[in-house]
Structure formats: structure tokens, C-alpha cells
């Protein structure tokens, strides 16, 4: 990386940690354009369940990589990396301050560490794996994965359909286990013009975040989340095999509308799935020794985050 690389702040954190409030507080003080680092916000028609910034919040500062694809489409970490690098360059050229905000750590990793040479998704392979799973169950496919890629299988739950499918897809397309490909050197830019600095909103007491998650999920339900999912189902071209419908909350609401669960069970499963997402996000963050940590449970968390972003961005 060039010694003259421009520092760019990346406000990262688990769900309900206060990222939006901190980003908008910083944007109120500087000419900021926000680039979303969130794999759920890319989808149109998915507003409530993704906690998407509302119209007023998005009017406070330009936002990018929100509402850019249809839920029937896919968006990869490679696409995010290319789009984010392009957008940062355009924002800087306009004389504004880029601020990356989100909680999809895979996107951040792709942006800052480059990409492995993994095969892209293949609809035919995925359809075949979905058919096998419908017949035999995902634990059977997990066992199949363990036979060809024990290292990857060991870190996946037997019902983690999305990751099991991806790992098997990679093996079927490349003939190599995903663990071996991930261990290979990454493709990176030799002279990256930017130095991305993570500012991490993290809780000292995870129970506080858990309470926020439950309150947020209940608020989503009160504001029409089930109706949002009902409308998506009514389109007729979406199903639970698609990345959009695998977003936290959407799968649980879909099962409820299918009659597979009751309302209270759906609510509890949605809250639990969100807490599990939070746990994974914190695990990613804590593997970044270079991050600037801000206590997100503090009463002045927003002010602390703004100060850290300002220092990082040198504005």
C-alpha cells in the first residue's frame, strides 16, 4: 500500500449498535457521502426487515449501494469491492468525505484484503444441490461436504444451508475444497490509493445489545414487517433458496406465512437469528487488531464514534 494512501473511515458494528445514528451525526458536520457495507440493504422492496435508513435519513447525506438490485438477483462480495472502490474515488473527486458504514464483514474483508479466486455462483449447480437437500436433508449434504472438505464442514452447522451449498458448489465447480482456495494468496491491488480504517461499535455488555435487538425486531413487526414479506411472497418469483430471502428475519417470517410456525415462535426465532448474526459480526470484528473500538453501550457512544471517524478521516 502506498504511503500516501488516503485514509477512509469504515464504521462497522453488529446489528443495533448505533451505526446509522453515528454516521448521520458525522454527516451533519462534514460533506459526507455514505457507502453501505450491508448485504441486505442492496435489495429493493426490503425496507422494514433490513432496518434500511428511511427517506429522511437518506436525505441528510447521499447514500450509495442501497436499493440497487431486485430481490431475485444476487450481489457478490466481488461486486461490492468493485463498486465501493469506484464510489470512494468518485466521492473524493467531488471533494466530499467517503464514509463506509455497515455490518457485512465479508464485504469489508473483500475490500481490504482482496479476493480469493473462487468460482462465481452457478444456478444449475445450486438447483441440483437444492433438489438433493429437499430429498435427503441438509445434514446429509453436510456429511457429503465433510467427505471432500472436512475443514470447512467442521466449522458449519449441519443445517447451515447457505454455507453448505456454497462450499459444495465451489468444490463441484473447481474440483478443490473451499478451505484450500481460501488459504491461497489473495488478489490485491499493488498500489491501493486508500487505507481503510475500521471504527468498530462494540458492546462491553452483550446483554444490552440483545435487548436492543429484541426491541428492534418487535418494532419491525409493529411497522408491517409481515406484510412486507407477504408482498414479496406474492410476487411468485422468490423462494427461500435465494440470498435475499435468507436475510435474517425474512426466512422466519416466510416460514410463519407458510404455516410452519406460530407468530410467537416466529418472533422468537427471528430474535434468536439476529442475535446469532450479532455474535458472528463481533467475532469478525475482534479478529481485526487494527480497529478503533467505540463502546456502543455508552451514553455518549454517538459522540465517541464521531470523534473516532473524524480522527480517522483527518477532517
Amino acid at each position: 500500500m502506498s504511503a500516501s494512501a488516503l485514509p477512509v473511515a469504515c464504521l462497522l458494528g453488529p446489528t443495533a449498535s448505533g451505526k446509522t445514528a453515528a454516521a448521520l451525526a458525522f454527516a451533519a458536520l462534514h460533506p459526507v457521502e455514505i457507502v453501505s457495507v450491508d448485504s441486505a440493504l442492496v435489495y429493493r422492496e426490503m425496507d422494514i426487515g433490513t432496518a434500511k435508513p428511511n427517506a429522511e435519513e437518506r436525505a441528510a447525506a447521499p447514500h450509495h449501494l442501497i436499493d440497487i438490485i431486485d430481490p431475485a438477483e444476487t450481489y457478490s462480495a466481488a461486486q461490492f469491492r468493485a463498486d465501493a472502490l469506484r464510489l470512494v474515488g468518485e466521492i473524493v473527486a467531488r471533494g466530499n468525505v467517503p464514509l463506509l458504514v455497515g455490518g457485512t464483514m465479508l464485504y469489508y474483508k473483500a475490500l481490504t484484503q482482496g479476493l480469493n479466486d473462487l468460482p462465481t455462483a452457478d444456478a444449475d449447480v445450486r438447483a441440483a444441490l437444492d433438489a438433493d437437500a429437499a430429498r435427503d436433508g441438509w445434514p446429509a449434504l453436510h456429511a457429503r461436504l465433510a467427505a471432500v472438505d472436512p475443514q470447512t464442514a467442521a466449522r458449519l452447522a449441519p443445517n447451515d444451508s447457505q454455507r453448505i451449498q456454497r462450499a459444495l458448489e465451489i468444490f463441484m465447480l473447481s474440483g478443490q475444497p473451499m478451505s484450500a482456495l481460501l488459504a491461497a494468496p489473495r488478489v490485491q491491488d499493488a498500489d491501493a490509493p486508500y487505507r481503510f480504517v475500521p471504527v468498530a461499535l462494540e458492546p462491553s455488555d452483550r446483554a444490552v445489545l440483545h435487548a436492543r435487538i429484541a426491541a428492534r425486531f418487535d418494532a419491525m413487526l409493529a411497522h408491517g414487517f409481515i406484510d412486507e414479506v407477504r408482498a414479496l411472497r406474492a410476487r411468485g418469483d422468490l423462494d427461500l433458496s435465494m440470498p435475499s430471502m435468507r436475510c435474517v428475519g425474512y426466512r422466519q417470517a416466510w416460514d410463519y406465512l407458510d404455516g410452519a410456525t406460530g407468530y410467537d415462535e416466529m418472533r422468537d426465532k427471528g430474535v434468536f437469528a439476529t442475535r446469532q448474526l450479532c455474535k458472528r459480526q463481533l467475532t469478525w470484528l475482534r479478529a481485526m487488531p487494527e480497529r478503533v473500538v467505540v463502546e456502543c453501550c455508552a451514553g455518549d457512544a454517538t459522540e465517541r464514534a464521531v470523534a473516532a471517524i473524524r480522527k480517522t478521516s483527518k477532517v
Side-chain angles (χ1 to χ4, degrees):
M1 182 180 296
S2 170
S4 61
L6 178 72
V8 176
C10 301
L11 183 60
L12 307 175
T15 184
S17 58
K19 297 184 294 294
T20 297
L24 293 178
F26 181 69
L29 303 173
H30 303 282
V32 170
E33 296 189 39
I34 294 171
V35 179
S36 170
V37 187
D38 192 303
S39 61
L41 298 192
V42 299
Y43 298 111
R44 295 186 288 270
E45 302 177 37
M46 295 172 59
D47 302 331
I48 300 171
T50 60
K52 195 172 288 178
N54 61 35
E56 182 180 355
E57 290 168 334
R58 290 163 72 175
H63 284 64
H64 303 279
L65 301 186
I66 295 178
D67 289 341
I68 58 172
I69 65 169
D70 185 84
E73 299 172 330
T74 58
Y75 186 75
S76 68
Q79 288 171 291
F80 168 80
R81 184 173 193 268
D83 286 342
L85 289 172
R86 171 181 56 79
L87 286 164
V88 169
E90 293 172 355
I91 293 166
V92 170
R94 286 192 285 270
N96 291 335
V97 179
L99 175 62
L100 279 69
V101 182
T104 299
M105 304 308 168
L106 179 62
Y107 282 9
Y108 178 79
K109 186 176 182 181
L111 178 67
T112 56
Q113 299 182 23
L115 294 159
N116 300 103
D117 189 19
L118 299 178
T120 57
D122 184 290
D124 292 337
V125 170
R126 291 194 169 190
L129 290 169
D130 281 334
D132 289 349
R135 183 185 66 246
D136 303 326
W138 284 106
L141 270 71
H142 182 265
R144 186 191 304 180
L145 176 64
V148 297
D149 189 354
Q151 186 175 338
T152 298
R155 62 180 179 81
L156 299 181
N159 283 305
D160 191 344
S161 58
Q162 185 173 0
R163 292 176 178 84
I164 293 169
Q165 182 188 62
R166 178 58 177 152
L168 284 171
E169 175 187 44
I170 287 170
F171 180 79
M172 292 166 71
L173 292 172
S174 70
Q176 300 181 68
M178 185 171 78
S179 55
L181 293 176
L182 289 176
R186 295 174 179 272
V187 179
Q188 300 189 67
D189 298 327
D191 297 308
Y194 311 113
R195 178 170 59 87
F196 295 101
V197 183
V199 175
L201 286 164
E202 299 180 25
S204 56
D205 182 359
R206 199 176 294 181
V208 174
L209 213 53
H210 285 181
R212 288 188 193 175
I213 286 169
R216 173 183 279 193
F217 198 82
D218 287 338
M220 289 175 178
L221 291 171
H223 285 89
F225 177 45
I226 297 300
D227 287 337
E228 179 173 271
V229 180
R230 184 178 286 113
L232 290 165
R233 283 166 52 91
R235 287 178 31 154
D237 63 340
L238 302 175
D239 60 63
L240 288 178
S241 72
M242 296 176 173
S244 60
M245 295 300 101
R246 288 175 175 170
C247 290
V248 167
Y250 285 85
R251 172 182 289 275
Q252 291 76 24
W254 190 291
D255 285 343
Y256 164 67
L257 291 170
D258 266 348
T261 61
Y263 186 88
D264 291 343
E265 184 181 359
M266 173 275 298
R267 183 265 181 195
D268 291 345
K269 284 187 172 182
V271 170
F272 179 77
T274 310
R275 288 176 177 173
Q276 290 299 105
L277 170 62
C278 171
K279 181 180 179 180
R280 292 194 299 272
Q281 290 169 316
L282 288 170
T283 298
W284 277 88
L285 285 172
R286 288 167 182 165
M288 300 178 192
E290 75 280 13
R291 75 195 190 284
V292 179
V293 178
V294 175
E295 166 56 72
C296 72
C297 299
D300 61 346
T302 296
E303 292 77 10
R304 292 189 194 185
V306 167
I309 298 167
R310 180 185 288 129
K311 184 176 181 180
T312 297
S313 303
K314 296 183 179 179
V315 295

